[in-house]
Amino acid sequence: MLSCAMAPPRGMEQLASLLGVKVALDGFVKTLDEKVCSTETDVPGIYVCGAVEGPKDIPESVAQASAAASCAARAVMKVAQKPTPALLIDEEACGKCGLCVVSCPFEALSIDEEENKVVVDEATCRRCGLCATVCGPGAIELPNNERMQISQQIQSILKDGSGALHPLVLAFCCDECGYSVLDSVGFQRKRYPPGIIPIFIPCLSSLSIHHVIEALSLGADGVLILGCLEDRCHFEEGAIKARSKVEFIKLLLRELGLLENKANILMLSGNMTQDFVSKVNEIADRLRRVKT
Ligand code: SF4
Ligand code: SF4
């Protein structure tokens, strides 16, 4: 098919820099994922559609416009309805150390000096869960993703599933690309080892080392940490933080005399289904050899 070359309009870079959105190498606006998140930019509340993201025809632009409008409506409703608080902060347990405040990538936390307590800006908080993982006394919980709830999932999978499936691998998957890649694998009816059992968390930045160790000590043959590509993390730093946590876990396993390759990390975009299948097969083969 013949088609004319298309370049981004003049002024595109200035507009992008004014809004704080990233521009790809070809000069068009960079979205979080051109296949599964093609309207979302890395700036919350800014969505794109049409040729600003790259060359496309009118029907595709109109479909993308509907998706962008729906994303914008969802974002507004989330703030307006406030169905649950962004965070649960236990004021008595909090020592006001400020670690959560400096760790938040979105500057959503502050310490109210007069009230002597940590306050969260509900509209700015993206519910990534990073602050909960840095708080020593465990004073912060992410509603619906509380530490105990994740622990209970781990315990129930390992209680019901251990022995029947091997290798049994608990996969901590982010709700963004981790979820999308598994969804696409299922949709495409691709097969992968049945012992890979997902546990969903909002972002890899909310991954708790405690939960990984808990899974291994309760008998999981391995853990898989599955999330977005580093430059596509929906919460900016999640994938980078997860990589350093995995390095730390491997070090810990080495120190304990356990196999460090029990902990694996995969960073994929939602459409990388074949990469997912071949990598999890490799991981399962490796763990199977250890088991026998
Ligand atoms: S990291 Fe925990 S203890 Fe420190 S200020 Fe934040 S909530 Fe309080
Ligand atoms: S959940 Fe994420 S965005 Fe919200 S305050 Fe904690 S670190 Fe910041």
Side-chain angles (χ1 to χ4, degrees), residues 89 93-101 111 118 131 134-140:
I89 302 178
C94 170
K96 322 291 175 307
C97 67
L99 199 53
C100 55
V101 176
I111 293 188
V118 174
C131 52
V134 301
C135 175
I140 305 184

Side-chain angles (χ1 to χ4, degrees), residues 3 7 76 102 111 116 134 161 164 170 204 224 234 237 239 266 270 286:
S3 60
V76 170
V102 293
I111 293 188
N116 192 30
V134 301
L170 289 202
L204 292 192
L224 172 65
H234 294 53
E237 298 177 9
L266 271 185
R286 215 166 46 225

